[in-house]
Amino acid sequence: MIPLQTRNLNPHQAYRIKKMRHKLDRAECYEEWKEIALKLDEETGAQEWKYDNSSPYFDAAIISHRLNLLRRYQTDKRTGDLIYILREGLSHDVANIGHPLLFSHTYIGTKRIIEDYISEVCKSMKFIVSEQCEKLSLSEKISFFENCAKVYGQPAMMFSGGASLGLFHTGVCKVLLEQDLMPQVLSGSSAGAMMTAMLGVAKPNEIKQVLTGDNFYSEAFHFRSFMELLKGNGGLADVQYLKKFLIENLGDTTFEEAYEISGLDINISVAPYNASQEDSRIMNKYTAPDLLVWSAVLASCAVPILFPPVHLTSKRYDGVHTPYLASIRWVDGSVRNDFPQEKMARLYNINYTIASQVNPHIVPFMQSDEERLRTDLLSWPKRLIRKHGKTIAMDVMNFTRESLGSIPSVRRVLDHGYGIIDQRYYGDLNIVGNYSLRHYQYMLQNPRPRLFKILQKEGERATWPKVSIIETHARIGRTIEHCLEDLKRQRDYCESTAEAKPRTTRKSKIS
C-alpha cells in the first residue's frame, strides 16, 4: 500500500515519514501498527484525500443523495421510507464503494463520505430495532432483518495450500479473531485445509489455544528412503505420518459433527486423481455430512509426487468407518480448485471473499490491487502479456493432451497442470506475504516453534493493512446480525413472559 502524496514534502518531513515507515514495518501488534499508520496518513497528507469526493472508482453523487435521505427519514421518523431506502441499497458494493482501489491511498480508512454512509446505514437499522420505531411490530421487524440477512449475504475466508508455509494462515486468523472479523464460512485446500479443519473441530473458547501453535508441531513430513522410493507405491513422503498427525488433532469427527462443535461452516477442497472420473469437490456439512474431517484433509494434502493419492473414509450412523466413493482416489484440492468461490457462494450466500494466499508457485506471480485493476494505457502491455501467456500455455497443454492423452500418466500430469493454470487465485480481498528465497527452504520443514513464530508474525503483518477494508465491508453485515439477535431475544422474552402469566394466575386462584 502506497499512500497518496498530495503535497510537496520538505527534507525534514521526508525524513520523519521514512522513520515512521521503518517503525511501521517493525510494529509488534495491530494497535501499535494502527497508531503509526494514522500518523503517517496525517504526515503524508493522505488524510486530505478522504475529504475529496472526486474519484473514478465510485459514484459519490449517489452516496451523497442516499446519505441525506437516510438522515432525513430517520429524523422525521418516516419508517416506511427508511425501510424502502435501506432495502434499495442492501449491498456491500452499492455505487461501487467496495472497490479495492478506494482503500489503497491511505493506511487506515477510505473516503469520508463512504464511512459516513455506512455509519448512517447502521444507525438507521438500530433505529428500526429501537422502541422509537413504533410503526412496526416485533414480528415485522424480525421479518425485515431476516430478509436483510439473506439479501446482504456473508463473507467467506479462504486458505490456500503451501505446505509448511501454511503456518502463515495462523497469523491471519489471529488478527481477524482479535478484531472480531473472522467469517463463519471457511475453506481450505492442502495446508489451508489443515488450518480450516483445526478451527472447525475446536469449540469457540478453544480457538485461541489452537493458534498458539502447540497442535501444529509434528513430523508431518517424513521422507522415505531411497530403497522405499524404488519400490514405488507412494510419494516422496510417508503419508502415514501425516495421517497419524491429523487423526490425533481432528479426532473421529465428521463434517456434520464439526459444525455442531464449532458453529463454523468448514469446506475442504479435494480433487480426483483421475480427472476423467469427475470434477473437484468441496466437502462440507451439506455435500458430505458423514465424511470424516481428517480423511478429507489427508486427501487435500496429497500433493502429487510428494504424497500418494488416497481414499476417503466416512463414518456410518452406527460409528463404523466405511469407504467414501471407494473406486476413486483423491489428491490436493489446490491442483484444481484452490479457492472454490463459486461453489461456496451457491451454498452460503457469500457476498465477498477474503483470500490468504501462500502457494509458492502462485505468490511470486500475484499482482497487487493497483497492478491488477489498473485500466490506463500504460498497463495494457503487461495485461496483454499475462493474458496471452496463459492462453498460449493452455493451448499447448490441450494440444499435448490430444497427442499424448492415451498415456495415463502423461494425461494426469497435463490435467493437473491445466487445472493449476486455469483457476482463479484471487479473492475479493487478498492477504499475501512477502516472499524471499528462504521461504522455499521453509516449505517442507516440519513445523517447529521457531518456524511457527516467524510465519505467524508474517501473517499478522500482512493482515494489519487489510483490517480497515475488512471492517468497512463487515460493518453492515455485523449490524444486521446483531439487530436480528437483539430482536429474537426480545421475542423469546415476550413468549416466556406470556407463558408464565397463566401459571401465576392459577396459583393465585388456588391460594
Side-chain angles (χ1 to χ4, degrees):
M1 182 186 296
I2 303 174
L4 185 70
Q5 300 289 339
T6 57
R7 54 191 164 95
N8 295 324
L9 302 174
N10 61 48
H12 183 59
Q13 288 173 314
Y15 173 74
R16 285 207 310 272
I17 289 169
K18 184 178 178 181
K19 194 173 179 180
M20 279 192 281
R21 284 178 176 159
H22 183 76
K23 286 183 179 178
L24 193 75
D25 292 337
R26 282 156 182 74
E28 288 299 318
C29 63
Y30 178 64
E31 287 68 28
E32 181 186 352
W33 185 93
K34 184 177 181 180
E35 183 181 350
I36 300 168
L38 286 168
K39 289 177 182 177
L40 264 171
D41 282 343
E42 193 66 44
E43 193 68 34
T44 59
Q47 287 284 9
E48 297 170 13
W49 172 85
K50 293 183 179 182
Y51 293 89
D52 178 8
N53 289 346
S54 61
S55 171
Y57 304 121
F58 84 113
D59 195 323
I62 290 177
I63 296 301
S64 178
H65 177 65
R66 293 183 60 80
L67 178 59
N68 290 331
L69 289 178
L70 286 170
R71 286 171 174 166
R72 188 195 316 161
Y73 295 158
Q74 189 180 328
T75 301
D76 297 343
K77 295 185 179 181
R78 293 166 59 178
T79 306
D81 291 327
L82 188 61
I83 286 177
Y84 180 85
I85 198 74
L86 285 172
R87 281 175 173 163
E88 189 181 60
L90 270 179
S91 167
H92 83 283
D93 200 24
V94 60
N96 216 26
I97 61 174
H99 197 288
L101 294 187
L102 290 169
F103 298 83
S104 64
H105 293 301
T106 59
Y107 285 104
I108 304 291
T110 182
K111 295 287 189 183
R112 184 59 185 269
I113 191 172
I114 294 175
E115 294 175 349
D116 289 345
Y117 173 73
I118 291 171
S119 295
E120 200 60 41
V121 169
C122 296
K123 189 178 175 183
S124 298
M125 288 180 169
K126 289 173 184 175
F127 166 77
I128 292 172
V129 172
S130 70
E131 294 178 356
Q132 297 176 37
C133 180
E134 300 172 347
K135 293 185 179 180
L136 294 179
S137 66
L138 183 58
S139 61
E140 287 172 330
K141 290 180 181 182
I142 290 173
S143 177
F144 168 71
F145 280 104
E146 285 177 338
N147 183 67
C148 286
K150 288 179 183 177
V151 174
Y152 196 78
Q154 63 177 325
M157 181 80 223
M158 306 184 298
F159 301 109
S160 77
S164 290
L165 295 174
L167 295 174
F168 175 95
H169 299 319
T170 66
V172 176
C173 291
K174 186 170 180 284
V175 174
L176 295 182
L177 284 165
E178 287 172 350
Q179 302 304 315
D180 193 26
L181 294 172
M182 192 71 181
Q184 296 297 299
V185 179
L186 312 176
S187 82
S189 59
S190 194
M194 204 175 294
M195 183 76 256
T196 300
M198 289 279 202
L199 297 173
V201 301
K203 295 177 182 177
N205 60 355
E206 296 173 345
I207 289 180
K208 287 185 179 179
Q209 180 61 33
V210 170
L211 297 179
T212 60
D214 294 343
N215 298 60
F216 289 91
Y217 306 143
S218 71
E219 294 290 335
F221 297 111
H222 184 85
F223 294 96
R224 302 165 74 214
S225 67
F226 181 70
M227 292 303 295
E228 288 176 318
L229 290 175
L230 288 178
K231 294 177 185 177
N233 299 323
L236 295 175
D238 190 336
V239 73
Q240 293 304 318
Y241 282 80
L242 179 59
K243 181 179 179 179
K244 181 183 176 185
F245 163 73
L246 293 174
I247 293 174
E248 285 177 354
N249 284 280
L250 303 178
D252 198 45
T253 310
T254 65
F255 279 93
E256 191 170 51
E257 291 166 346
Y259 177 75
E260 292 171 0
I261 293 168
S262 66
L264 298 174
D265 282 296
I266 60 171
N267 301 264
I268 307 297
S269 184
V270 297
Y273 180 55
N274 187 346
S276 63
Q277 289 180 306
E278 65 171 89
D279 197 6
S280 61
R281 287 192 178 197
I282 54 169
M283 303 304 191
N284 53 45
K285 69 176 185 182
Y286 297 116
T287 61
D290 302 319
L291 184 66
L292 289 164
V293 175
W294 69 258
S295 173
V297 176
L298 184 65
S300 194
C301 290
V303 181
I305 301 176
L306 182 61
F307 288 115
V310 300
H311 291 283
L312 291 172
T313 306
S314 61
K315 186 169 70 173
R316 214 167 54 187
Y317 57 89
D318 56 2
V320 175
H321 289 190
T322 59
Y324 181 92
L325 292 174
S327 61
I328 301 177
R329 290 186 298 165
W330 303 83
V331 296
D332 179 5
S334 62
V335 169
R336 310 267 182 77
N337 207 2
D338 202 25
F339 292 153
Q341 302 179 58
E342 292 182 7
K343 292 180 180 179
M344 287 200 301
R346 290 196 293 268
L347 286 172
Y348 302 107
N349 191 24
I350 303 300
N351 58 6
Y352 73 94
T353 54
I354 305 167
S356 179
Q357 178 60 263
V358 292
N359 254 319
H361 61 286
I362 300 301
V363 170
F365 304 101
M366 288 193 74
Q367 296 175 294
S368 66
D369 289 334
E370 290 85 349
E371 294 170 326
R372 189 163 52 94
L373 300 172
R374 278 178 63 190
T375 55
D376 58 278
L377 194 61
L378 292 175
S379 69
W380 286 12
K382 188 179 286 187
R383 288 166 61 197
L384 287 170
I385 289 170
R386 291 178 72 93
K387 184 175 181 179
H388 289 294
K390 178 179 176 179
T391 303
I392 291 168
M394 290 170 68
D395 286 343
V396 168
M397 280 191 285
N398 273 331
F399 175 77
T400 311
R401 273 201 298 190
E402 290 172 6
S403 305
L404 302 173
S406 57
I407 305 173
S409 58
V410 173
R411 185 172 184 84
R412 274 196 293 270
V413 170
L414 291 170
D415 285 340
H416 293 331
Y418 194 93
I420 289 170
I421 292 175
D422 189 41
Q423 62 180 291
R424 174 181 167 82
Y425 289 99
Y426 293 93
D428 296 306
L429 187 147
N430 302 285
I431 302 172
V432 186
N434 292 320
Y435 267 28
S436 62
L437 288 175
R438 64 186 168 87
H439 286 83
Y440 293 90
Q441 298 172 358
Y442 295 155
M443 259 187 68
L444 298 179
Q445 289 184 24
N446 281 306
R448 292 290 181 266
R450 179 179 172 277
L451 181 60
F452 179 85
K453 287 178 182 178
I454 290 171
L455 293 175
Q456 185 177 70
K457 184 55 70 175
E458 287 186 9
E460 289 182 67
R461 293 184 193 281
T463 309
W464 292 337
K466 305 293 184 178
V467 168
S468 181
I469 184 171
I470 297 172
E471 281 180 333
T472 303
H473 285 336
R475 192 170 173 192
I476 292 176
R478 285 296 174 89
T479 301
I480 293 171
E481 182 184 324
H482 294 156
C483 287
L484 198 51
E485 288 173 356
D486 188 25
L487 289 168
K488 286 181 177 178
R489 276 196 298 269
Q490 290 181 37
R491 181 186 62 189
D492 293 342
Y493 175 76
C494 291
E495 288 176 353
S496 62
T497 305
E499 288 175 3
K501 280 181 179 179
R503 288 196 293 270
T504 305
T505 306
R506 283 195 296 271
K507 285 182 181 179
S508 61
K509 286 179 178 179
I510 293 170
S511 59

